[in-house]
Amino acid sequence: TLFTLQLHLLAGTLFNLQAHLISLNDGIKYIEEDIKEQYHPKHHADVEGFTLTGVTLAKDNRTILNNINGQLMSGVNIISGKSGAGKTTLINILLGLEESHTGTALYRGHRISEALTEHILSEVSVAPQKPVLVSGTLEDNLLYGADDVCQNRLKEIVELLGFTRQGTDADALLATVIDVAGSGLSGGERQRIAIGRAILRDKPTLILDEPTAALDERTAHKIVEWLALHTRNLIIVTHDEKLKKKYGIKIELNETTADSVQV
């Protein structure tokens, strides 16, 4: 029994080491990429959000996005589509991380490109489905990338995300240790960390990538309703039928084509 226990401990250590090596390789890959001079516009046109005109993208003789037209402005904007319909690609275009498309993509009147990415991310926060975790506490992970967050605000968001339970101590919960591999965390807990992290960065625009995918319906819709009231421009990429019915659809993505829906 003792020998088996030691093997389990060794396996856990090797798994954590592998996760660190993967993160290191990713970091080296970014370091080796060419750095383009970033553009920070001093003035914005009198328009909010994103404007897409005839945005099309094809790779390996396959059309991923086809003639996207639409505006993602103030309020709740739903981008609908099943897995493989190009939702992640569209998010990358909005952030300037995918430049191989044709057509025009604008952020507040400025053409989106890799050079504008840093500026966009200074005003736009993204909650991906699978966040990168850092070694530390739950508090460290929630505050990753955030500045000057008071404890009352942090505890408010922890309660919103459903981490707390009646009788539990918020401070003890925030002190929970998390490793870089997220050992012991469920998919829903990882997703809530991603959403909380995005909220605490306090940006006027928030993009949620499938926020209801790993959460129970009650928690997911409670979070979205709160965000709809507290976020100037909320963009939700989802195939959740209830969210689509409640807020309408701005862009509908199919498996091989994508078309805008005027709402």
Side-chain angles (χ1 to χ4, degrees), residues 166-233:
Q166 186 174 3
T168 60
D169 181 75
D171 291 324
L173 181 66
L174 288 167
T176 303
V177 176
I178 296 174
D179 61 38
V180 70
S183 303
L185 292 179
S186 67
E189 289 170 330
R190 291 168 181 264
Q191 195 163 40
R192 281 180 284 170
I193 288 174
I195 295 172
R197 184 183 288 173
I199 294 172
L200 291 168
R201 286 174 178 169
D202 197 25
K203 306 297 182 184
T205 297
L206 177 57
I207 299 176
L208 302 179
D209 187 4
E210 296 287 6
T212 64
L215 302 181
D216 65 90
E217 184 178 303
R218 183 175 177 276
T219 299
H221 287 261
K222 172 189 173 185
I223 293 172
V224 170
E225 287 175 7
W226 186 91
L227 288 171
L229 293 174
H230 294 84
T231 308
R232 185 191 303 174
N233 185 356

Side-chain angles (χ1 to χ4, degrees), residues 77-208:
N77 301 271
I78 299 292
I79 299 175
S80 173
K82 296 181 179 180
S83 298
K87 299 189 299 296
T88 301
T89 300
L90 183 57
I91 291 175
N92 287 339
I93 289 174
L94 296 178
L95 300 178
L97 302 175
E98 176 60 78
E99 294 190 290
S100 58
H101 65 277
T102 58
T104 304
L106 303 176
Y107 174 66
R108 301 188 67 184
H110 297 273
R111 184 179 289 273
I112 296 174
S113 67
E114 186 180 337
L116 197 66
T117 294
E118 186 176 300
H119 175 71
I120 294 172
L121 290 175
S122 72
E123 300 183 352
V124 177
S125 189
V126 182
Q129 290 188 57
K130 298 178 181 179
V132 175
L133 301 175
V134 297
S135 293
T137 63
L138 174 62
E139 181 174 354
D140 294 331
N141 276 273
L142 288 171
L143 294 180
Y144 184 72
D147 297 315
D148 301 322
V149 179
C150 70
Q151 282 296 306
N152 288 338
R153 171 68 167 169
L154 178 59
K155 291 178 181 179
E156 176 191 10
I157 300 306
V158 166
E159 183 176 353
L160 168 70
L161 296 172
F163 278 116
T164 58
R165 295 289 183 272
Q166 186 174 3
T168 60
D169 181 75
D171 291 324
L173 181 66
L174 288 167
T176 303
V177 176
I178 296 174
D179 61 38
V180 70
S183 303
L185 292 179
S186 67
E189 289 170 330
R190 291 168 181 264
Q191 195 163 40
R192 281 180 284 170
I193 288 174
I195 295 172
R197 184 183 288 173
I199 294 172
L200 291 168
R201 286 174 178 169
D202 197 25
K203 306 297 182 184
T205 297
L206 177 57
I207 299 176
L208 302 179

